[in-house]
Amino acid sequence: MSARSLFLLVVCGVVRAQVLIAGNEDAEILNPEKTTEEDLRVLVQQLMARVQKLESEREDRGQPQVAFSASLFTAAEWTHHGPFEAATTLIFKRVMTNIGDGYDSNTGIFTAPVKGLYYIRFTGCVGDSGSLNAAVLKNGVNMFAIYDTRGTHGSGSNGMTLVLEQGDQISVTLWTGNSIFDQSRLSTFSGFLVFPL
Amino acid sequence: MSARSLFLLVVCGVVRAQVLIAGNEDAEILNPEKTTEEDLRVLVQQLMARVQKLESEREDRGQPQVAFSASLFTAAEWTHHGPFEAATTLIFKRVMTNIGDGYDSNTGIFTAPVKGLYYIRFTGCVGDSGSLNAAVLKNGVNMFAIYDTRGTHGSGSNGMTLVLEQGDQISVTLWTGNSIFDQSRLSTFSGFLVFPL
Amino acid sequence: MSARSLFLLVVCGVVRAQVLIAGNEDAEILNPEKTTEEDLRVLVQQLMARVQKLESEREDRGQPQVAFSASLFTAAEWTHHGPFEAATTLIFKRVMTNIGDGYDSNTGIFTAPVKGLYYIRFTGCVGDSGSLNAAVLKNGVNMFAIYDTRGTHGSGSNGMTLVLEQGDQISVTLWTGNSIFDQSRLSTFSGFLVFPL
């Protein structure tokens, strides 16, 4: 804040003070006969502590913003993926949202930038193998999954609130013998921070 | 604030100050011999700037509240809709939630009241044409979709986090030759503001 | 706050004030000739009111944190449930998240700890009866549902934003003649507070 703006600030404050006094002529507010300079010192000190408390709480409350969403493939053409001979991490390539930069479209992994309660969800379209079994993993452990053996051109969705520590990794795995398809908007992976912990 | 309440406020402050001093008799706090009236001026000025900063941040932080949800039809009877010869915006008529008044049940369009990160989701039940292809559009552009050709009495769901500018419009389109059904609670369209940007 | 830290705080404040003045030698800030002790009283009083307002708003803003998620069964073995001769509340036993302790895994009921806008969602896998009709109820009233008669090994999902009063109860009911299956992660029930009202 420049000296000029500080000066203006103070002038404004004093002007408002005059207005305040003019509008409250009968007010006994911080009356010179009742409020000594020592009282003022105490009041200023109290204010300093209260403002410091407000400031520190504000920092605590500085709500981090984390959200991502991505579709599996960038091409609008129908693309089937799998089946593979091993469990395969799905790498969602068409990133729509990545606030907080937690999602890595090179690896398919979302890494929680802060500890918090997240909502994570996933939709997968059954590929032409006719079976889709895929799971959302947290640090390699199965959290929730979709399972559909009813043939291609249908989908499954699932989602959960999960507590994630900072650095926890979320990804989607396609299990052996299954396939998924997309055309840039049918198979999606999304999440966001609901509140920090 | 009335003069009386201001007076009471000050009296309370002074009383608390006495208590504070009584409870900290050995404290050298704003000692008259160390803290001159000029120091007081500087401290008050600093406090004014800090409080002004807190106040302006508070205004920024005044979190807008936006959320909507609606089912396709109000009737509890099974109702099939489509297929149509042109792409048709689905107008979800049974509004359950509309905080912030962003959803218009006359048009089916949700208009973002503020810029922010939203979560938008959609569930559609395949109608008796046996095929449901429907998309969530942002200002007319396909964001994400569901596609199911496996016959009636099943559904697809999809959802994404999306950054919306103030005034951006979100709607659901049923593509040509497809149909959807509902009985007031099976085909739904919902969204909410996760955080403003 | 200890007397020592208060003392340090004041000393720091004065030191910062000197730095501020040194860095703004040409500033006419709270000039002794222009700012009388009475002006100081007014400024301090204004600050007290502004800080009090900030403090009370802060208390209003103390955002409650509520979120839950659970899968239907704890066993990783495939388990089919139903059909039953009466509507049956599904009791999701494998609790993944229960911040705010609103979800009761003995009853399957989520009770809103505070009034607010919640997002509630549900995924169910069709059991070996081949038909899954299940609804999310609020205080016994059907809010939204999934309906799938296309045979086992597929799923339906649905979700909605709902305004809940404190004490409102949300549960999932499996209707007569239907069945659901799970293996600890396929059929899930989740929700969270988006914002308090």
Side-chain angles (χ1 to χ4, degrees):
Chain A
M1 187 179 284
S2 70
R4 183 175 296 270
S5 63
L6 259 177
F7 176 67
L8 284 173
L9 178 65
V10 170
V11 167
C12 290
V14 172
V15 167
R16 284 174 56 195
Q18 303 303 337
V19 170
L20 186 66
I21 288 168
N24 292 280
E25 280 173 22
D26 59 345
E28 295 181 272
I29 42 175
L30 289 176
N31 188 317
E33 292 175 24
K34 296 185 177 173
T35 315
T36 66
E37 194 183 315
E38 190 181 327
D39 291 335
L40 265 187
R41 280 191 196 91
V42 171
L43 291 172
V44 166
Q45 179 177 274
Q46 289 184 319
L47 280 168
M48 285 169 63
R50 289 162 72 186
V51 167
Q52 171 133 329
K53 188 157 184 288
L54 283 166
E55 287 169 341
S56 69
E57 287 172 354
R58 168 203 52 186
E59 282 155 23
D60 292 346
R61 220 170 30 234
Q63 176 96 12
Q65 298 184 328
V66 185
F68 71 98
S69 63
S71 301
L72 189 54
F73 298 126
T74 54
E77 290 80 46
W78 284 20
T79 310
H80 289 265
H81 188 64
F84 302 107
E85 291 183 8
T88 304
T89 299
L90 293 173
I91 302 176
F92 294 78
K93 299 303 284 184
R94 183 185 178 232
V95 178
M96 301 292 286
T97 306
N98 200 10
I99 295 170
D101 213 28
Y103 179 70
D104 183 340
S105 62
N106 293 311
T107 62
I109 296 171
F110 169 73
T111 305
V114 295
K115 178 175 182 177
L117 185 282
Y118 290 76
Y119 178 61
I120 306 288
R121 59 102 62 220
F122 162 57
T123 293
C125 281
V126 184
D128 52 15
S129 73
S131 174
L132 173 56
N133 186 358
V136 169
L137 308 184
K138 172 178 140 183
N139 302 329
V141 178
N142 198 322
M143 292 288 110
F144 60 90
I146 63 174
Y147 181 65
D148 194 311
T149 60
R150 300 191 300 193
T152 193
H153 300 171
S155 63
S157 293
N158 210 342
M160 261 196 177
T161 55
L162 295 174
V163 173
L164 303 184
E165 301 292 326
Q166 185 178 8
D168 273 355
Q169 296 193 321
I170 302 288
S171 59
V172 185
T173 287
L174 179 69
W175 300 114
T176 308
N178 290 272
S179 66
I180 188 168
F181 90 94
D182 189 37
Q183 49 151 197
S184 80
R185 52 192 170 241
L186 295 174
S187 291
T188 65
F189 178 34
S190 300
F192 54 87
L193 177 66
V194 179
F195 46 80
L197 289 171
Chain B
M1 187 177 282
S2 71
R4 183 176 296 269
S5 63
L6 259 177
F7 175 67
L8 283 173
L9 178 65
V10 170
V11 168
C12 290
V14 171
V15 167
R16 285 175 55 195
Q18 304 301 338
V19 171
L20 186 66
I21 289 169
N24 292 280
E25 281 172 23
D26 60 345
E28 295 181 273
I29 42 176
L30 290 176
N31 189 316
E33 293 174 25
K34 294 185 180 173
T35 314
T36 66
E37 194 184 316
E38 189 182 327
D39 289 337
L40 266 186
R41 281 191 196 92
V42 171
L43 291 172
V44 166
Q45 179 176 274
Q46 290 183 320
L47 280 168
M48 286 169 63
R50 289 162 73 186
V51 168
Q52 172 134 327
K53 188 158 183 288
L54 283 166
E55 287 169 341
S56 68
E57 288 172 354
R58 168 204 53 183
E59 282 154 23
D60 294 345
R61 220 171 28 234
Q63 176 97 8
Q65 298 184 329
V66 184
F68 72 97
S69 63
S71 302
L72 189 54
F73 297 125
T74 53
E77 290 79 48
W78 284 20
T79 310
H80 289 265
H81 188 63
F84 302 107
E85 291 183 6
T88 303
T89 299
L90 294 173
I91 302 177
F92 293 78
K93 298 303 285 184
R94 185 186 179 230
V95 178
M96 301 292 285
T97 306
N98 199 11
I99 295 170
D101 212 27
Y103 179 70
D104 184 340
S105 62
N106 293 309
T107 61
I109 295 171
F110 169 73
T111 304
V114 296
K115 178 175 182 177
L117 186 280
Y118 291 76
Y119 177 63
I120 305 288
R121 60 104 58 220
F122 162 58
T123 293
C125 282
V126 184
D128 52 16
S129 74
S131 173
L132 173 54
N133 187 358
V136 169
L137 309 185
K138 172 177 140 183
N139 302 328
V141 178
N142 199 321
M143 293 288 110
F144 61 88
I146 62 174
Y147 183 64
D148 194 311
T149 60
R150 300 191 299 193
T152 192
H153 300 171
S155 63
S157 294
N158 210 342
M160 260 196 177
T161 56
L162 294 174
V163 173
L164 302 184
E165 301 292 327
Q166 185 179 9
D168 273 355
Q169 297 193 321
I170 301 288
S171 59
V172 185
T173 286
L174 179 69
W175 299 115
T176 307
N178 290 273
S179 65
I180 188 169
F181 89 95
D182 189 37
Q183 48 151 196
S184 81
R185 51 193 172 241
L186 295 174
S187 291
T188 66
F189 178 35
S190 301
F192 55 86
L193 176 66
V194 180
F195 48 78
L197 290 171
Chain C
M1 186 179 283
S2 69
R4 184 177 294 272
S5 61
L6 259 178
F7 176 67
L8 284 173
L9 178 65
V10 170
V11 167
C12 289
V14 172
V15 168
R16 283 173 57 195
Q18 304 302 338
V19 170
L20 187 65
I21 288 169
N24 292 279
E25 280 171 24
D26 59 343
E28 294 181 274
I29 42 173
L30 290 176
N31 188 316
E33 293 175 25
K34 294 187 179 172
T35 315
T36 66
E37 195 183 315
E38 189 183 327
D39 290 337
L40 265 186
R41 281 191 195 90
V42 171
L43 291 172
V44 166
Q45 180 177 273
Q46 289 184 320
L47 280 168
M48 285 168 64
R50 290 162 72 186
V51 167
Q52 172 134 328
K53 189 157 184 288
L54 283 166
E55 286 169 342
S56 68
E57 288 172 353
R58 167 204 53 184
E59 282 154 23
D60 292 344
R61 229 177 13 242
Q63 176 97 10
Q65 298 184 329
V66 185
F68 72 98
S69 62
S71 301
L72 189 54
F73 297 125
T74 53
E77 290 80 47
W78 283 21
T79 310
H80 289 265
H81 189 62
F84 302 108
E85 291 182 8
T88 303
T89 298
L90 294 173
I91 301 176
F92 294 79
K93 298 304 284 184
R94 184 184 178 232
V95 178
M96 301 292 286
T97 306
N98 199 11
I99 295 170
D101 213 27
Y103 179 71
D104 183 341
S105 62
N106 293 311
T107 62
I109 296 171
F110 169 73
T111 304
V114 296
K115 178 176 183 178
L117 186 281
Y118 290 76
Y119 177 63
I120 305 288
R121 59 102 61 217
F122 162 58
T123 293
C125 281
V126 184
D128 52 17
S129 74
S131 173
L132 173 55
N133 187 358
V136 170
L137 309 184
K138 172 177 140 184
N139 302 329
V141 178
N142 198 320
M143 292 288 110
F144 61 89
I146 62 175
Y147 182 64
D148 194 311
T149 60
R150 300 191 299 193
T152 193
H153 299 170
S155 64
S157 294
N158 210 343
M160 260 196 178
T161 56
L162 294 174
V163 173
L164 302 184
E165 301 292 326
Q166 185 178 10
D168 274 355
Q169 296 193 322
I170 301 288
S171 59
V172 185
T173 286
L174 179 70
W175 300 115
T176 308
N178 290 273
S179 65
I180 188 169
F181 89 95
D182 189 36
Q183 49 151 199
S184 82
R185 51 193 172 241
L186 295 174
S187 291
T188 66
F189 178 34
S190 301
F192 54 85
L193 177 66
V194 179
F195 48 79
L197 289 171

